[in-house]
Amino acid sequence: MIRINLWGVMGSIPGASSEMVDFGSNTSCISVVDDQTVIILDAGSGIIHSHEVTKNATEIHLFITHYHMDHLIGLPLWDQLYDQTKRIHIHGPLLNGFDVETAVRGFIHAPYFPITLDKIQASIEFHTVKERTTLDIGNFTVEGLLVGHPGGNMAYKIKNKEMTFGYITDIDLDHADSIQVVGFFDGMKLAYLDTHFTNMEYVREKYKGWGHSSMESGVLFRDKASIGTLLLGHHAPHRTVRTLMQFIERYQDEEVMFAKEGMRFEFNE
């Protein structure tokens, strides 16, 4: 059985909105696991709550989309780093001259954190993910696609014989290569998409160029890519439940859901 858990679905800042607590308070982290393999997507503050799926694993694969702080902030406090029985593979793209090892070592280092990776008990291995190169991770394949975001970003597609899951945060769909992105995610059973803004916010409040999409653009993307179920996530720090409820009512007859911390999905092999 494949299990997908959402540990963090907020954008930019953990705990920014007390009103959104029912949807979550932690930044980006999702796990995809089966009985043999544990894959973690991003190390936002949500990663500290992923113990349920990592506690019994001796080997873990962590894929980082990009190196902005909200996608790394949970890593230094992740309990798995301090377990000498663990072997952790940290994967990430080369972005603006920074590879994943450089980015992570620079983050877990004084003055930002009191210890360095050299003091971590777990065995750590770094791997640079090349675009459109398929990686075999247990029973899954993982493939990355570089997408537009200030500083760069990589979307991931995780696939096995039963399902395909897409994870795409920090993208402005209105300024992306639509043909390329739609093709990469075409026909997925489940996908998680950054829909940080509403269309009104995006247009009127001059958020163009911030590297995030609107909810309306996300729904259009689902139709273009023939995605089964689309999770709208990476919620903005200023988001309100009232706004989400308006969209939930609008799309209640479609396979569109707002990502909520604690959500889980299961697929039988």
Side-chain angles (χ1 to χ4, degrees):
M1 178 177 290
I2 297 96
R3 300 176 300 280
I4 297 175
N5 290 65
L6 278 54
W7 306 108
V9 299
M10 305 305 290
S12 303
I13 306 170
S17 172
S18 58
E19 184 181 338
M20 286 287 287
V21 69
D22 285 343
F23 281 85
S25 59
N26 289 289
T27 58
S28 300
C29 182
I30 292 178
S31 62
V32 182
V33 307
D34 64 10
D35 292 336
Q36 301 177 23
T37 307
V38 175
I39 295 173
I40 305 289
L41 296 163
D42 273 334
S45 60
I47 200 172
I48 65 174
H49 300 293
S50 65
H51 187 73
E52 173 188 330
V53 298
T54 58
K55 61 184 178 182
N56 295 323
T58 57
E59 192 163 17
I60 301 168
H61 290 266
L62 169 62
F63 284 82
I64 306 294
T65 57
H66 62 301
Y67 310 121
H68 288 171
M69 186 174 293
D70 54 322
H71 292 256
L72 288 176
I73 196 168
L75 188 57
L77 298 175
W78 187 31
D79 60 352
Q80 301 302 291
L81 293 184
Y82 305 95
D83 185 338
Q84 62 183 359
T85 69
K86 305 291 186 177
R87 183 183 181 190
I88 300 174
H89 301 267
I90 304 180
H91 307 259
L94 178 66
L95 300 174
N96 285 348
F98 291 94
D99 62 16
V100 62
E101 181 171 3
T102 301
V104 170
R105 286 192 181 278
F107 185 66
I108 305 180
H109 195 280
Y112 313 110
F113 199 67
I115 64 173
T116 64
L117 274 183
D118 297 330
K119 304 296 184 181
I120 298 296
Q121 286 92 340
S123 173
I124 306 293
E125 297 181 25
F126 290 98
H127 309 272
T128 298
V129 180
K130 296 181 180 179
E131 185 179 29
R132 305 308 294 260
T133 298
T134 300
L135 304 174
D136 293 318
I137 309 291
N139 294 320
F140 299 100
T141 61
V142 181
E143 184 179 354
L145 176 72
L146 292 173
V147 297
H149 185 68
N153 182 40
M154 179 167 273
Y156 290 107
K157 175 165 56 178
I158 300 176
K159 184 177 181 179
N160 76 351
K161 61 183 180 181
E162 295 300 326
M163 67 97 216
T164 305
F165 173 65
Y167 180 67
I168 179 169
T169 73
D170 298 76
I171 183 175
D172 183 342
L173 286 170
D174 290 347
H175 288 77
D177 184 335
S178 178
I179 295 176
Q180 183 183 41
V181 177
V182 168
F184 189 72
F185 286 90
D186 185 54
M188 288 188 171
K189 184 169 286 189
L190 179 68
Y192 177 95
L193 176 67
D194 174 343
T195 52
H196 205 70
F197 301 120
T198 67
N199 196 50
M200 185 177 294
E201 290 168 346
Y202 181 88
V203 173
R204 293 186 180 179
E205 299 184 31
K206 300 180 181 179
Y207 287 127
K208 294 179 181 179
W210 283 44
H212 300 287
S213 297
S214 70
M215 300 173 196
E216 292 91 338
S217 293
V219 175
L220 290 174
F221 174 75
R222 174 192 171 266
D223 295 337
K224 291 178 182 177
S226 300
I227 294 169
T229 300
L230 180 67
L231 301 171
L232 308 182
H234 203 275
H235 306 305
H238 63 265
R239 184 60 54 234
T240 65
V241 174
R242 180 180 178 183
T243 302
L244 292 189
M245 292 306 298
Q246 292 173 348
F247 278 84
I248 289 171
E249 292 172 2
R250 184 185 304 181
Y251 301 121
Q252 61 183 341
D253 296 326
E254 302 185 44
E255 290 297 324
V256 176
M257 304 171 66
F258 282 97
K260 198 171 185 179
E261 191 173 315
M263 272 184 173
R264 62 181 63 200
F265 301 84
E266 295 184 349
F267 301 92
N268 291 320
E269 297 186 71

